Amino acid sequence: MTTSNVHVPSAPSTINCAVLAYLAAAVIPMVWGTIELFSGSQPPAPGVPPELNSMLVNLALGISVVSMLIYVWLSLKLRAGRNWARIVLAVFTVLQLLALFGPAGAAAYVGLGLAAVGLVLSFLPDSNRYVVDVKAPR
């Protein structure tokens, strides 16, 4: 087995900040929404039986956790310089924007704002150069 001396560039601050923004875009709305759910500030829909409401709350929490885990995974891949992760995160940001045309709370706007910051940072020239440099040795 041989080892190669391949230089792996370190991530620039734009990528590191983009990763932090995407992570915050995933965590803050989930925590905010969970607090709102359990604080009782979101009353159940009229005419919805308590069992169904409980199931919907559990489903919403499950979806939030899964989406947060996907964001964390994609953010780590972005940190590793994977261009496909950057593109998928950009698509998710656009989907978040489109979701605002439905009922949305303040947490959705905060999440979108943070994701937009991550999107911009991940496509700045330093970030582009990093993604190209990481791909070159492969």
Side-chain angles (χ1 to χ4, degrees):
M1 177 152 105
T2 62
T3 59
S4 62
N5 293 333
V6 176
H7 171 69
V8 178
S10 60
S13 61
T14 54
I15 287 288
N16 290 330
C17 291
V19 167
L20 290 175
Y22 278 126
L23 290 174
V27 172
I28 290 173
M30 190 190 93
V31 170
W32 192 332
T34 303
I35 290 170
E36 282 184 347
L37 244 131
F38 290 114
S39 70
S41 65
Q42 297 286 334
V48 175
E51 307 83 40
L52 180 59
N53 188 56
S54 176
M55 185 182 75
L56 292 174
V57 166
N58 291 336
L59 180 65
L61 287 174
I63 290 171
S64 294
V65 168
V66 169
S67 75
M68 184 190 70
L69 291 174
I70 290 171
Y71 257 88
V72 168
W73 178 68
L74 288 170
S75 296
L76 293 175
K77 292 299 181 183
L78 173 62
R79 173 75 172 73
R82 303 297 187 260
N83 190 48
W84 62 265
R86 185 168 65 156
I87 293 167
V88 171
L89 285 165
V91 169
F92 281 4
T93 302
V94 170
L95 292 175
Q96 277 182 279
L97 175 65
L98 294 175
L100 292 181
F101 289 107
Y109 289 101
V110 169
L112 176 62
L114 290 165
V117 167
L119 175 67
V120 169
L121 289 171
S122 67
F123 282 94
L124 288 177
D126 284 346
S127 300
N128 289 334
R129 198 168 18 263
Y130 171 67
V131 169
V132 168
D133 290 347
V134 166
K135 188 174 185 177
R138 287 193 264 155

